Amino acid sequence: MALQFVLIGGARVNERRFEEDIRVEGHIIDSLILPRVFDAIMDMGGDFDVEEIRVGRSKKEPSYARLKVFADNEERLARIITTLQDFGVDLVSAGDARTVASPRDGVLPEGFYSTTNLPTQVRLHGVWVDVADTEMDLVIVVDWEQSRARSVPIDEVRAGDQVVVGHEGVRVIPLQRERQREEFSFMQSNVSSERSKKIAIAAIAAEMRDCREQGEKIVFVVGPAVIHTGAGVYLSALIHHGYVQALLGGNAICTHDVESVLFGTSLGLSLTDGTPVAGGHQNHMRAINAIRRAGNLKQAVAQGVLTRGVMYECVTNGVDLVLAGSIRDDGPMPDVITDVVVAQKEMRRAVRGAGLVVMVSTMLHSIAVGNLLPATVRVAVVDINPAVVTKLADRGSFQAVGLVTDAELFLRQLCDELGVTYPERAAEPSAEPGAV
Amino acid sequence: MALQFVLIGGARVNERRFEEDIRVEGHIIDSLILPRVFDAIMDMGGDFDVEEIRVGRSKKEPSYARLKVFADNEERLARIITTLQDFGVDLVSAGDARTVASPRDGVLPEGFYSTTNLPTQVRLHGVWVDVADTEMDLVIVVDWEQSRARSVPIDEVRAGDQVVVGHEGVRVIPLQRERQREEFSFMQSNVSSERSKKIAIAAIAAEMRDCREQGEKIVFVVGPAVIHTGAGVYLSALIHHGYVQALLGGNAICTHDVESVLFGTSLGLSLTDGTPVAGGHQNHMRAINAIRRAGNLKQAVAQGVLTRGVMYECVTNGVDLVLAGSIRDDGPMPDVITDVVVAQKEMRRAVRGAGLVVMVSTMLHSIAVGNLLPATVRVAVVDINPAVVTKLADRGSFQAVGLVTDAELFLRQLCDELGVTYPERAAEPSAEPGAV
Amino acid sequence: MALQFVLIGGARVNERRFEEDIRVEGHIIDSLILPRVFDAIMDMGGDFDVEEIRVGRSKKEPSYARLKVFADNEERLARIITTLQDFGVDLVSAGDARTVASPRDGVLPEGFYSTTNLPTQVRLHGVWVDVADTEMDLVIVVDWEQSRARSVPIDEVRAGDQVVVGHEGVRVIPLQRERQREEFSFMQSNVSSERSKKIAIAAIAAEMRDCREQGEKIVFVVGPAVIHTGAGVYLSALIHHGYVQALLGGNAICTHDVESVLFGTSLGLSLTDGTPVAGGHQNHMRAINAIRRAGNLKQAVAQGVLTRGVMYECVTNGVDLVLAGSIRDDGPMPDVITDVVVAQKEMRRAVRGAGLVVMVSTMLHSIAVGNLLPATVRVAVVDINPAVVTKLADRGSFQAVGLVTDAELFLRQLCDELGVTYPERAAEPSAEPGAV
Amino acid sequence: MALQFVLIGGARVNERRFEEDIRVEGHIIDSLILPRVFDAIMDMGGDFDVEEIRVGRSKKEPSYARLKVFADNEERLARIITTLQDFGVDLVSAGDARTVASPRDGVLPEGFYSTTNLPTQVRLHGVWVDVADTEMDLVIVVDWEQSRARSVPIDEVRAGDQVVVGHEGVRVIPLQRERQREEFSFMQSNVSSERSKKIAIAAIAAEMRDCREQGEKIVFVVGPAVIHTGAGVYLSALIHHGYVQALLGGNAICTHDVESVLFGTSLGLSLTDGTPVAGGHQNHMRAINAIRRAGNLKQAVAQGVLTRGVMYECVTNGVDLVLAGSIRDDGPMPDVITDVVVAQKEMRRAVRGAGLVVMVSTMLHSIAVGNLLPATVRVAVVDINPAVVTKLADRGSFQAVGLVTDAELFLRQLCDELGVTYPERAAEPSAEPGAV
């Protein structure tokens, strides 16, 4: 029950051409994969014959195409094929993936294959095998004996690891647009502030409820503006009510959250009336010192030094808290991981299994997390700066909703949509003035 | 009960210097006026002697200073004095203002005095007289017989009008910082998105209640993003509950408001779920046609064509609606004033007597209105683009609160703070599909 | 020499379905038109059979598809067809376009067809006829006797004009991506500041040379930042050397250009060293007065009041200068068209026949001009604000290059690329200090 | 030859007031210090008597004021005094600074004094001593035996270190505006893109020449956009000609610089024509691998792997290169310091002795470096994003020039102003295609 292309007419004269048969399958027409394949071949100076096309008739039925690709030299052909593989194209003739041993710890063999953030398979002993731990810009290390493959950062490659080289025996599974319009992604790649955010926030709330029902992790990546704007109470409430399984941030959100709890200020400004507090610019250093003196956040909670706020809720609700350091940090807080490579590993671990990642008001951490995510994970990026939202939405094809809006009002509205309650007035500072 | 400067020691040798005695009074030290006077004189190559300073001791008591200003030529001295006058400095020797007749309609005499947006006085027959209709970049036309003066745009100057020239007999009254910290202005010239907007919105709400109690006009200047984001319901509610006495905008807010009421879309996107509606990009033209066919907005309401929304509330609540055209308009709507000079006059009229002006998501109209406002009117500028907020806060010294935030969530929160209720769900489109 | 789809297998049961045969031709696969047609039908709740597909084999050869579209009610089918027509789809059964007489001046009949900015044809007496004066959001008025059709703004429709209604007998010709990569468009819809602008500027320069050789008009749309940044000398040089046939702007660029020539300032800041000049904030009013006194720009040049600058070069080189007013204007200058509807007409006239439109640092005028342009005209949008560039690149599919960069350095570099010389130092102010 | 305030009239009744005598000296009136002192006292609920004021008469002569500050309780008085000290106010009664031993490594005693970025002195054994290594948000550790004090980050405080607590015996020396207008700072805190950048760039070039003559270090802090935009050739030329003594950046600028040299791309886009190169997104990983294989940058230069570019010029010209890691890094390059605390130390070392710091297109590294700088160092911040420039200009009072402009065209123009030559065409990639 399908349509089929049949070649009508003429053969071509084939003097000195290099060719490769490829095939591609799935929602290749409505996902715009096939047209992009045609384009890419021609853009790169190649040519092609369409050997066969079958177009799916029903919404669920996949389509299929088989092409013969030509180029005037082998190198050009190789470059074309490499590019096509990112669209999910598969070599008809594909043999096994080729691997070469890594020459030294942290050094790759020539011609290594660099991964995308799309689901990827390699052919080992004639069988297509899923590559574990999908992530962008890694390499694939193969265990030929176990017929297993996984993505590995260059820094973790050890001498002798069998690293995939070239493009043979590798294929990626591109994300395909489904026929049914999806609520969550309706704003996909929309970064305008001129759309209704209320609708978008309702969709994110629905997604969060859905994740919780299905036991998937919800990860929040947050910047200090959440605290500066007084939105800490909303985030605390979301954590308290079980809507956050992992929280990723940096030294600043931790410091200002503690500052807000102990002194009622953020960056020295009163959270009650927005005015500068005398000597308030020193409060964040006092907050850091208070936690350092206690030992760390957990001990500060145990000792009664920290009695509420975002960090408190993380500690008391068993949230997976990853605080990654940066060169602009003061202190830092004792819970902050100062080595960025170690921090990346922890972040990678924390996002594994996430059903939804919500990024609020942090460019650095959001980009870092975005780099680590497979394209299949849903992401909501919330920032008042359209440049941040655009930058994140552009970084690969993960399923991102971009919201150019105010973090404070966003989190408040998100609580309202989820029926999560929060205090209307900021609590009194818990530290005695002058103390600490 | 004041302090007094007493000159200790030496006179100066005064070869070939031009001098002028000036005085300045008020909160000149804490309003930073005196230091700016010192700076300006030196920056412009002049010099000065402080003849007398009296510093107010209590918070209410004004200070006073008298200076002798020197320069090495007359032109430089004139330039210095001109500059100082914008700080509120007053010539000790001041005679009457000088006027010259306008040579032709819309043409000014040489050396005309160009106004600031600060309260200004001219000396006529030895008496300081207030200049009516304070506004930036106008000229002062004097009626010597009646001893009256008013600000007039160049375009409205008629041949023979007595226009003030030079700086003599003119003084401005600078805004002075009061000692008591004011709630409304605490964020003055603050354009950060990283502060709590909830606090700021509460302050604006308080100001609105205050205006209403005191019978002062509240003016809203609004752009179409209010409609695109679905915030029309909040603005409608504010109008309905009497919180808006004048509404200034353009063709776009009118068009999209009508579109949203008739078709449930804004710019062709559904306000219910944010998705594009088939053929929806034509809806704004159909909305324009519907009102043109009815005659104008008022008639459309009378004929039952327009049954709710921002325009409907303006018509039915007697709000002073000024829609000013721009070159990017489609249509336009029949109520739009297409001549910009006429539109300016109408806007000028509408803002007179305003106690508070709230500008939401419109750069063009906000700048235009900002140009027309005296510095004494309080202004709240709300835009998600910090550049717009900065640009407006920079345009003269009017008492501006800048809020970098989301218009939709701002208006919703403002309603909540004022206890104004609004429907949670968008109403059904009132026009039949395909109609109009 | 083409491929052909042949239906394999099963008919469908057709209970109560409404159907319409459509066809589409051209580079419909690589221009992504066909996939978008598939998508649109399904998104809107319809269904389709692919009756025939022929894929062009060579790069020049067009493809062709014929589809049967189904929907469960007539209205839905009509909406689907309307949407498809914007992709260039053509009804197989197409009869003539239908027209209804306009009921009143400036009012349209129900169901009027609203134009896109793509080349459009209507079928009159069985023949496809080009619609003259392509522009977005207009209506099509038909002269049945002469078999002619043209786009008309609603405001210019007269009672009795035959206005096209519905979608029958109307088709648009979508822009199709050509196979050969084009230099000019390589950055299409690219708004990043993180690409080499030097390359882009070279491409624009090449395009300008090309226009000149082919006798096409180059239109510049410019904002006052060109003058504030001291880039007036570069723009003047471009005009002087014949690279600008029409200049569109507003009161501000005219005012500040004249101010810069007469007083050496722009907005009161010295163009020599960037510092504020004493009393300089009055200079723009003096500039306006100087031209008003002379009569207008032409007379100011004739009288020797205006001796160089952008306006001077426009006058002396016969450039088509259209200055459109806005509500934020001071003055205005006598050459400014204050009625926005009249200004639109003049702008429309001025851009007709343009080969390239370069928009520099003006959102208002750029959007206004963008609205008037057919999609086929090439446009370069230059602004330091990415939001402006994005907004313009998004407004329809005209062939836009977006450059997020500095207007001043852009124009300087553009001169360098074109071999156009300019003075390195600003000239002395031509007006005597204190004069005017 | 000075003016003196003499108290005229009445004493005050002093029931239960706490008081402290303070004095302040310098350009306290024209630097707006005195008015800010008045304001701060009143804003914080205190009161004051002016005991004596002497106003400097000549431009060079300092002014002096002595005040008695009152408050109704001791804590409020302490807070007021703390705040005033940041303005450079000095306690008349000042005894020695008080210190308390640090209880544990990395933990501070209660009430520690947190530093500003202004020159600071502490009183030790009755003598005012300069605090070494001025930097914001550090603490002061005193060596009582040697009568020495220095600023230390909390992380480097060791148990037993004598840390200054409270505000007694501490004073800061505020930056004072000098009377002569300075060329470099004329744009101080100006972030507009609507000013002439040519003038500003000329001023920066002059400052660079000046630094070189006086043997002061010029430090560049740079982001990867410098490479993406093709401006690497200009930066390389500046380094080559001795205009850069230290270069601070991250993994990205290093990676993309090496990528551009080896493969002629940046982020996979050709630097020759701006188009994507087949498989180009893998080039940055290949660049990292190439340097890792060589060992590090120095060895890559020695082995002939790296033959030009920014990194090459740093290595061959002995520039102090500090590459600080961040959590979004790929790889990273072997020269990158992955621990952020270690990186901060290295950056701190590198900027010591800088006469000028030029920050181009990097928010993260610029803020980090800004935090480490004393307020006395001149800084030029160049970014196309006004938010970045504003953020940096706001961070303390260092002498910052903010330029909202295009990094590529800025660097090109800077070379032109300095007479530094650069190649007009990008060099050929040095790596064989497919290699690495």
Side-chain angles (χ1 to χ4, degrees), chain D residues 383-394:
Chain D
D383 206 293
I384 204 158
N385 183 347
V388 172
V389 177
T390 305
K391 197 155 193 166
L392 279 157
D394 279 0

Side-chain angles (χ1 to χ4, degrees), chain A residues 36-55:
Chain A
R36 273 149 65 193
V37 165
F38 289 178
D39 273 7
I41 296 171
M42 293 197 182
D43 281 353
M44 297 169 69
D47 209 339
F48 62 93
D49 275 354
V50 180
E51 303 276 334
E52 190 186 356
I53 291 188
R54 269 178 281 123
V55 177

Side-chain angles (χ1 to χ4, degrees), chain D residues 17 35 48 78 87 137 216 274 289 301 335 384-385 408 431:
Chain D
R17 290 201 303 180
F48 62 94
F87 301 146
D137 290 333
E216 289 177 322
N289 194 43
V301 170
D335 300 73
I384 204 158
N385 183 347
E408 174 192 6

Side-chain angles (χ1 to χ4, degrees), chain A residues 143-190:
Chain A
D143 178 339
W144 283 100
E145 267 181 43
Q146 306 276 340
S147 266
R148 285 212 288 239
R150 65 192 170 91
S151 297
V152 177
I154 183 173
D155 202 56
E156 299 180 24
V157 169
R158 297 281 77 88
D161 278 359
Q162 290 293 323
V163 175
V164 172
V165 298
H167 55 270
E168 221 177 330
V170 182
R171 69 177 179 195
V172 300
I173 318 300
L175 291 187
Q176 295 178 10
R177 185 178 182 282
E178 285 179 42
R179 283 294 167 84
Q180 284 79 351
R181 187 195 298 153
E182 303 174 50
E183 260 210 65
F184 181 72
S185 66
F186 73 87
M187 295 154 305
Q188 202 152 346
S189 75
N190 163 27

Side-chain angles (χ1 to χ4, degrees), chain C residues 23 28 59 152 181 191 231 238 243 298 362 381 406 425:
Chain C
R23 64 188 161 207
I28 57 178
K59 290 178 193 189
V152 177
R181 188 195 298 158
V191 299
L238 290 171
Y243 281 108
K298 206 165 187 174
T362 165
V381 183
D406 190 303
R425 302 182 51 86

Side-chain angles (χ1 to χ4, degrees), chain C residues 114-240:
Chain C
S114 185
T115 60
T116 67
N117 61 3
L118 293 163
T120 303
Q121 296 181 320
V122 290
R123 189 153 163 162
L124 307 179
H125 308 308
V127 179
W128 286 107
V129 170
D130 288 336
V131 177
D133 303 341
T134 304
E135 190 183 320
M136 197 159 44
D137 291 331
L138 305 191
V139 294
I140 301 173
V141 170
V142 169
D143 178 338
W144 284 99
E145 265 181 45
Q146 306 276 339
S147 267
R148 284 213 287 240
R150 65 193 170 90
S151 297
V152 177
I154 182 173
D155 202 57
E156 298 181 24
V157 169
R158 296 281 78 86
D161 278 0
Q162 291 293 322
V163 175
V164 171
V165 297
H167 55 267
E168 221 177 331
V170 182
R171 69 178 181 195
V172 300
I173 318 299
L175 292 187
Q176 295 179 9
R177 184 178 183 279
E178 284 179 43
R179 284 294 167 84
Q180 284 79 352
R181 188 195 298 158
E182 301 174 52
E183 259 209 66
F184 180 72
S185 65
F186 73 86
M187 295 154 305
Q188 202 151 347
S189 74
N190 163 27
V191 299
S192 168
S193 62
E194 298 211 347
R195 303 257 179 112
S196 170
K197 263 71 64 175
K198 195 167 169 296
I199 298 171
I201 295 170
I204 294 170
E207 190 73 19
M208 287 173 74
R209 266 193 233 94
D210 204 51
C211 276
R212 206 152 77 155
E213 272 166 31
Q214 309 205 355
E216 288 177 322
K217 278 159 72 170
I218 302 173
V219 178
F220 269 68
V221 186
V222 285
V226 167
I227 306 299
H228 300 329
T229 58
V233 289
Y234 313 125
L235 181 54
S236 297
L238 290 171
I239 298 169
H240 190 78

Side-chain angles (χ1 to χ4, degrees), chain D residues 42-291:
Chain D
M42 295 197 181
D43 281 353
M44 295 169 71
D47 208 339
F48 62 94
D49 276 353
V50 180
E51 303 277 334
E52 190 185 358
I53 292 188
R54 269 179 279 122
V55 178
R57 281 285 286 275
S58 77
K59 290 179 194 188
K60 300 271 174 197
E61 203 181 333
S63 301
Y64 171 88
R66 193 158 48 79
L67 282 74
K68 193 178 283 298
V69 180
F70 308 99
D72 54 4
N73 64 63
E74 198 150 17
E75 191 202 318
R76 188 189 303 276
L77 185 63
R79 282 214 311 274
I80 293 173
I81 298 299
T82 307
T83 300
L84 296 186
Q85 285 184 312
D86 290 353
F87 301 146
V89 160
D90 188 12
L91 299 192
V92 170
S93 67
D96 272 4
R98 286 191 304 124
T99 60
V100 172
S102 166
R104 223 164 62 225
D105 281 9
V107 177
L108 302 171
E110 285 208 12
F112 63 90
Y113 176 86
S114 185
T115 61
T116 67
N117 61 3
L118 293 164
T120 303
Q121 296 181 320
V122 289
R123 188 153 164 161
L124 307 180
H125 307 307
V127 178
W128 287 108
V129 170
D130 287 337
V131 176
D133 302 342
T134 303
E135 190 183 321
M136 196 159 44
D137 290 333
L138 306 192
V139 293
I140 301 173
V141 170
V142 169
D143 179 338
W144 283 100
E145 265 180 47
Q146 306 275 340
S147 267
R148 284 212 288 240
R150 65 194 170 90
S151 297
V152 177
I154 183 172
D155 202 56
E156 299 181 22
V157 169
R158 296 281 79 86
D161 278 359
Q162 290 294 323
V163 175
V164 172
V165 296
H167 55 268
E168 223 178 329
V170 182
R171 69 178 180 195
V172 301
I173 319 299
L175 292 186
Q176 296 179 10
R177 187 179 181 279
E178 286 179 40
R179 284 292 168 83
Q180 284 78 353
R181 189 195 296 154
E182 302 174 51
E183 260 211 64
F184 181 72
S185 66
F186 73 87
M187 294 156 305
Q188 201 152 347
S189 77
N190 164 27
V191 300
S192 168
S193 63
E194 297 211 349
R195 302 255 180 114
S196 170
K197 262 72 63 176
K198 195 167 168 296
I199 298 172
I201 296 170
I204 293 171
E207 190 72 20
M208 287 173 73
R209 265 194 231 94
D210 204 51
C211 276
R212 207 152 77 156
E213 272 166 31
Q214 310 206 353
E216 289 177 322
K217 278 158 72 168
I218 302 173
V219 178
F220 270 67
V221 185
V222 285
V226 167
I227 306 299
H228 300 329
T229 59
V233 289
Y234 313 126
L235 181 54
S236 297
L238 289 172
I239 298 169
H240 190 77
H241 287 81
Y243 282 108
V244 181
Q245 277 67 55
L247 191 94
L248 279 59
N251 187 60
I253 183 155
C254 175
T255 299
H256 295 295
D257 175 61
V258 173
E259 177 191 347
S260 74
V261 173
L262 297 189
F263 306 107
T265 62
S266 187
L267 267 182
L269 301 178
S270 161
L271 286 170
T272 317
D273 61 13
T275 53
V277 165
H281 69 281
Q282 307 187 343
N283 285 352
H284 73 285
M285 292 308 300
R286 302 202 186 284
I288 291 169
N289 194 43
I291 303 301

